[in-house]
Amino acid sequence: MNMATILVVDDDPDIRDVIHIYLRNEGHTVWEAEDGLVAIDSINEYSIDLVILDVMMPRMDGIQTCMKIRKQSHVPIIMLSAKEEDMDKIIGLTTGADDYMVKPFNPLELLARVKAQLRRQSLSSTEEKSTSSNFIEIRDLTLDIKKHVVTLKGIPVALTPLEFSILALIARHPGQVFSSNQIYESVWKEQPGYSDNTVMVHIRNLREKIEVSSKDPQYIQTVWGVGYKIE
């Protein structure tokens, strides 16, 4: 795995220091920010490969920061929060985070998740370069694989990197049913485990963005008890 430049965003300097030490020991370059405003400036100034982002911060919290980052970048985001309710995790993922960890956390588990996100990003880039067709068209939906652009009836649709990867996966294989585990293994590049509801949340978000009615989807179909497909 190539070494990465990682931005750690947290208002607690002790937490930043701990994360910084573990990441630096792995050979990564680490930048720090104490709030969302500083984080946005850092992303604009440096070439960042991954962001570790706390939710509860002054001036601009992690949710607002994540939304602003997603307007300009597909960089992987791992969100940190002292909140452990399912709805808090769903909100974090809905705003564009790629992963979610509850404080207090094990630094070694955080490292494992950082490696998983960087590996997924690297493999996705490799797969896109080797794809024979850069365009997929399904009725009014068009995917530009190379540019990571999705349009619906000619209008751009803003997707997170994981949402795009999920849609591209099932769109490349029309009619094939993918289980949640298969989607997780293909997109996250690791065995399912700690994120049982992650695929379901991302599918729901995708439907809200590309379907006229998420309750009556015309693109992403659910095959009950099996998984998801696109006809």
Side-chain angles (χ1 to χ4, degrees), residues 23 86 92 96 129 132 177 216:
L23 291 174
D86 286 342
K129 290 178 182 177
S132 58
V177 181
D216 183 26

Side-chain angles (χ1 to χ4, degrees), residues 100-116:
Y100 188 104
M101 287 193 71
V102 176
K103 293 180 176 180
F105 56 86
N106 184 330
L108 294 177
E109 181 182 353
L110 177 60
L111 279 183
R113 297 195 186 195
V114 166
K115 290 178 181 178

Side-chain angles (χ1 to χ4, degrees), residues 125-143:
S125 299
T126 302
E127 288 174 358
E128 287 170 15
K129 290 178 182 177
S130 63
T131 301
S132 58
S133 175
N134 287 327
F135 294 93
I136 301 174
E137 292 186 6
I138 302 173
R139 300 190 297 278
D140 295 325
L141 190 68
T142 302
L143 287 76

Side-chain angles (χ1 to χ4, degrees), residues 81-175:
S81 176
K83 299 180 179 180
E84 58 181 350
E85 298 296 327
D86 286 342
M87 185 53 64
D88 296 319
K89 297 179 183 179
I90 289 172
I91 291 173
L93 294 171
T94 300
T95 55
D98 299 282
D99 201 356
Y100 188 104
M101 287 193 71
V102 176
K103 293 180 176 180
F105 56 86
N106 184 330
L108 294 177
E109 181 182 353
L110 177 60
L111 279 183
R113 297 195 186 195
V114 166
K115 290 178 181 178
Q117 290 297 327
L118 294 174
R119 183 171 63 249
R120 179 191 62 79
Q121 191 84 338
S122 176
L123 291 174
S124 296
S125 299
T126 302
E127 288 174 358
E128 287 170 15
K129 290 178 182 177
S130 63
T131 301
S132 58
S133 175
N134 287 327
F135 294 93
I136 301 174
E137 292 186 6
I138 302 173
R139 300 190 297 278
D140 295 325
L141 190 68
T142 302
L143 287 76
D144 186 328
I145 301 298
K146 187 175 182 179
K147 295 183 179 179
H148 265 238
V149 172
V150 174
T151 58
L152 182 63
K153 295 183 178 180
I155 300 174
V157 180
L159 299 183
T160 69
L162 285 174
E163 289 168 357
F164 183 90
S165 296
I166 292 171
L167 182 60
L169 172 67
I170 56 180
R172 283 192 180 107
H173 305 88

Side-chain angles (χ1 to χ4, degrees), residues 172-188:
R172 283 192 180 107
H173 305 88
Q176 180 176 338
V177 181
F178 289 86
S179 68
S180 292
N181 284 351
Q182 287 174 320
I183 293 174
Y184 193 92
E185 290 176 2
S186 296
V187 173
W188 276 260

